[in-house]
């Protein structure tokens, strides 16, 4: 017989993990990632310092920020990062909760795999448990979207972050901002602009009923303040347009040169006159403004700003009611927006244009202050989370209590549900129930309490009331509804759904094939997750 040639399917350097090894490595990656962010959960959670390759420092306990800044290589760990990003995009808060639940589901699945339970059975059980958990969550939710509830939701989201000492005044600003931009029961969080500047106390933050533009007026001869402003928004350059084809003008006489210059000046002056005739006394231009145009604008007493970002132009239109025009010749008084005051002011050494006192602005600005740049960055992250949860509450009108109470109640309901299931899926549903208890257990650990005692006390308290949660400040079980610890239902719902789906997807993988460049991250051993410029953990 002729000797057979070896059959090569995968290129040289490719690594492959099959079956139990692949599952073990993926589960390990999920567990390590969850443990990394676990210590940041809750009011007593600790912060992480992340240093990138350039030496820039980020100090935060925001789960998604930590995961984004970390240089994660393992493919299964990247899937959990996507869970956090989805949670952030959909709700704005609960990113750490989603990741630690996913990590705990993977940890529990390892025990079931050791008992020779097939991964698809575990995945099916997790899917059933997640659906039942959502049903139970609906039953224990509270219908509320009044201002008092929104305030509690905002303050709960900011507890344990850099904003805690000023969470009440900040919550007032956030609730005011969200209520201002509500349209047809929906909240477009993009219309709440956040400007952050260091050099002042957190309490000096303010809500502007309009837009702050991080620019300055283009000419010193222009007014610094305009009351009863009539605002024009132009998205084309205010200058003499060049021809679209290459053209050459031959001038043989100085008089012709003078006539050419005068004609250019006349065209620019006509544009400014048309602007003034329409009644505008403030101009925001998305493109450039010619030096000569600046001169005529200053003579006309018009405050002008150039090279304004497109996003700011759109917010100005929403706030003032102005229409963005391309051609000044088409501008009419109907296209102008209104504001009570447009003023150039200096904030932390930078000139900014404040468009304030708009009548019914559908775009507003939060000016956040902090003592240092690191502090103000963390305040901004906390405020963004709070805006997300307040917006979710306004849209859904459903909240749950916090302090680990929903997770304990869900675990209790799922254990009862597991008894109604025959087959091995029952074990997976029970494992799902136990995995949810990682949230109150972690809250207790981060507060320096005994996690076992705290969990036992919570289970006993939930025989009487579903509102009993862990008071991490006093170390006991408290009625969270009375304590004002409230979270949107959407935060818990999204965290459970995304964590369950990610765990199911990872469990169903029994073969990891990685190219030579990715081989090290996908093969055995603890996953390599370096933080920026720091060595891998």
């Amino acid at each position: 017989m002729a000797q057979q040639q070896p059959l090569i399917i995968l290129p040289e350097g490719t690594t492959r993990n099959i079956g139990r090894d692949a599952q073990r490595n993926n589960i390990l990656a999920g567990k390590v990632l969850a443990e990394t962010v676990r210590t940041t959960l809750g009011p007593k959670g600790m912060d992480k310092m992340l240093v990138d390759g350039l030496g820039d420092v980020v100090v935060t306990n925001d789960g998604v920020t930590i995961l984004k800044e970390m240089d994660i290589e393992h493919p299964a760990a990247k899937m959990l990062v996507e869970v956090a990003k989805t949670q952030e995009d959909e709700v704005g808060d609960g990113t750490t909760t989603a990741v630690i639940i996913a990590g705990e589901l993977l940890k529990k699945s390892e025990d079931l795999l050791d008992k020779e339970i097939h991964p698809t059975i575990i995945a099916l059980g997790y899917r059933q448990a997640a659906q039942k958990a959502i049903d139970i969550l609906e039953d224990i939710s509270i219908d509320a979207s009044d201002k008092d509830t929104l305030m509690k939701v905002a303050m709960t989201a900011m507890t344990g972050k850099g904003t805690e000492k000023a969470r009440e005044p900040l919550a007032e600003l956030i609730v005011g901002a969200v209520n201002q931009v509500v349209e047809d029961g929906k909240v477009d969080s993009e219309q709440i602009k956040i400007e952050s500047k260091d050099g002042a106390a957190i309490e000096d933050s303010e809500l502007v009923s309009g837009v702050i533009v991080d620019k300055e007026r283009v000419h010193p001869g222009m007014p610094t303040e305009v009351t009863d402003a009539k605002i024009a928004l132009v998205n084309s350059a205010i200058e003499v347009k060049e021809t679209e084809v290459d053209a050459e003008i031959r001038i043989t006489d100085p008089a012709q040169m003078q006539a050419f210059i005068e004609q250019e000046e006349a065209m620019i002056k006509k544009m400014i006159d048309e602007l003034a005739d329409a009644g505008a006394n403030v101009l925001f231009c998305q493109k450039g403004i010619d030096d000569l145009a600046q001169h005529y604008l200053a003579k006309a007493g018009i405050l002008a700003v150039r090279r304004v970002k497109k996003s700011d132009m759109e917010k100005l239109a929403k706030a003032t009611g102005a229409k963005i025009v391309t051609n000044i010749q088409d501008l009419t008084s109907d296209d102008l927006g209104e504001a009570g005051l447009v003023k150039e002011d200096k904030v932390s050494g930078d000139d900014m244009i404040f468009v304030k006192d708009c009548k019914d602005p559908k775009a507003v600005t939060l000016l956040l202050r902090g003592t240092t740049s690191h502090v103000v960055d963390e305040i901004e992250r906390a405020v963004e989370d709070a805006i997300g949860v307040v917006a979710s509450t306004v849209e859904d009108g459903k909240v749950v209590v916090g302090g680990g109470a929903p997770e304990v109640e869900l675990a209790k309901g799922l254990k009862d549900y597991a008894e109604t299931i025959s087959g091995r899926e029952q074990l997976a549903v029970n494992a799902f129930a136990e995995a949810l208890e990682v949230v109150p257990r972690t809250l207790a650990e981060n507060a320096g309490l005994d996690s076992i005692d705290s969990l036992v006390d919570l289970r006993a308290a939930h025989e009487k009331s579903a509102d009993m949660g862990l008071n991490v400040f006093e170390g006991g079980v408290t009625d969270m509804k009375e304590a004002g610890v409230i979270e949107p239902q959407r935060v818990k719902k999204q965290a459970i759904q995304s964590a369950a789906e990610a765990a199911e997807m990872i469990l169903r993988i029994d073969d990891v094939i990685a190219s030579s460049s990715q081989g090290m991250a996908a093969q055995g051993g603890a996953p390599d997750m370096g933080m920026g410029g720091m060595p891998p953990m």
Side-chain angles (χ1 to χ4, degrees), residues 233-458:
L233 304 179
V234 179
N235 65 358
S236 59
I238 300 177
E239 57 191 22
V240 175
K241 288 185 173 63
E242 294 181 1
T243 56
E244 291 185 9
V245 294
D246 289 338
E248 197 175 90
I249 299 172
R250 294 184 183 276
I251 295 174
T252 57
D253 190 300
Q256 288 177 313
M257 182 67 177
Q258 185 61 32
F260 181 78
I261 293 169
E262 286 173 0
Q263 184 61 31
E264 272 200 340
E265 287 183 7
M267 289 170 71
I268 294 278
K269 188 171 188 307
K270 188 185 175 198
M271 290 169 78
I272 306 307
D273 288 344
E274 285 169 344
L275 195 67
D277 292 343
N281 52 17
V282 176
L283 167 68
F284 288 96
C285 183
Q286 196 174 325
K287 304 279 178 69
I289 299 177
D290 190 85
D291 289 349
L292 193 59
Q294 293 177 27
H295 166 72
Y296 284 124
L297 284 165
K299 281 186 72 175
I302 297 172
L303 192 159
V305 184
R306 65 178 168 182
R307 308 209 184 281
V308 179
K309 289 188 290 189
K310 184 183 178 183
S311 59
D312 284 348
M313 293 289 281
E314 290 167 355
K315 288 183 178 69
L316 283 164
K318 280 262 192 184
T320 65
K323 294 174 186 169
I324 301 172
V325 298
T326 302
N327 193 338
I328 286 183
Q329 292 171 340
D330 297 333
L331 186 74
T332 65
S333 57
D334 293 336
D335 297 323
L336 301 180
E338 295 181 355
L341 177 68
V342 176
K343 183 181 181 182
E344 183 184 76
D345 217 341
K346 201 176 281 289
V347 181
S348 189
D350 297 324
D351 286 321
M352 303 177 87
I353 303 292
F354 286 71
V355 181
K356 303 170 90 171
D357 305 333
C358 300
K359 284 181 182 173
D360 185 24
K362 290 302 171 188
V364 295
T365 306
L366 281 168
L367 178 61
L368 302 179
R369 306 304 306 274
T371 47
T372 68
S373 60
H374 291 132
V375 170
V376 86
D377 286 346
E378 181 66 348
I379 292 166
E380 186 174 337
R381 284 188 283 269
V383 167
E384 284 174 353
D385 288 355
I387 288 171
V389 295
V390 172
S392 299
T393 308
V394 168
E395 290 179 355
D396 299 343
K398 287 181 179 290
V399 294
V400 293
V401 296
E407 287 82 8
V408 174
E409 189 64 20
L410 291 175
K412 178 171 167 274
L414 286 174
K415 284 172 184 173
D416 293 339
Y417 170 65
E419 292 175 6
T420 67
I421 300 174
S422 59
R424 295 186 171 196
E425 291 90 343
Q426 184 190 75
L427 297 173
V429 173
N430 266 320
F432 197 103
E434 289 169 9
L436 289 177
E437 290 179 339
V438 71
V439 174
R441 197 165 70 243
T442 303
L443 288 172
E445 287 171 5
N446 290 350
L449 306 173
D450 187 293
S451 60
I452 296 173
D453 289 347
S454 298
L455 200 52
V456 169
D457 291 345
L458 274 172

Side-chain angles (χ1 to χ4, degrees), residues 32 47 54 68 123 125 131 152 156 191 194 233 316 346 350 363 416 433 436 450 454 527:
V32 170
D47 291 353
L54 299 173
K68 280 180 182 174
Q131 187 54 57
K152 288 174 181 174
T156 301
Q191 301 309 326
I194 298 177
L233 304 179
L316 283 164
K346 201 176 281 289
D350 297 324
D416 293 339
L436 289 177
D450 187 293
S454 298

Side-chain angles (χ1 to χ4, degrees), residues 24-38:
R24 181 182 62 80
N25 291 334
N26 290 339
I27 288 169
L28 178 60
K31 284 161 57 180
V32 170
L33 195 69
E35 286 297 324
T36 304
V37 295
R38 189 173 166 181

Side-chain angles (χ1 to χ4, degrees), residues 38-85:
R38 189 173 166 181
T39 57
T40 68
L41 186 72
K44 294 287 188 86
M46 301 297 283
D47 291 353
K48 304 282 182 190
M49 178 184 279
L50 305 164
V51 187
D52 68 12
L54 299 173
D56 291 335
V57 174
V58 175
V59 179
T60 184
N61 68 0
D62 182 49
V64 73
T65 305
I66 295 165
L67 296 174
K68 280 180 182 174
E69 291 288 333
M70 287 168 63
D71 185 16
I72 294 170
E73 290 185 13
H74 197 285
K78 284 180 179 178
M79 291 167 74
L80 292 196
V81 175
E82 287 304 314
V83 168
K85 286 180 180 175

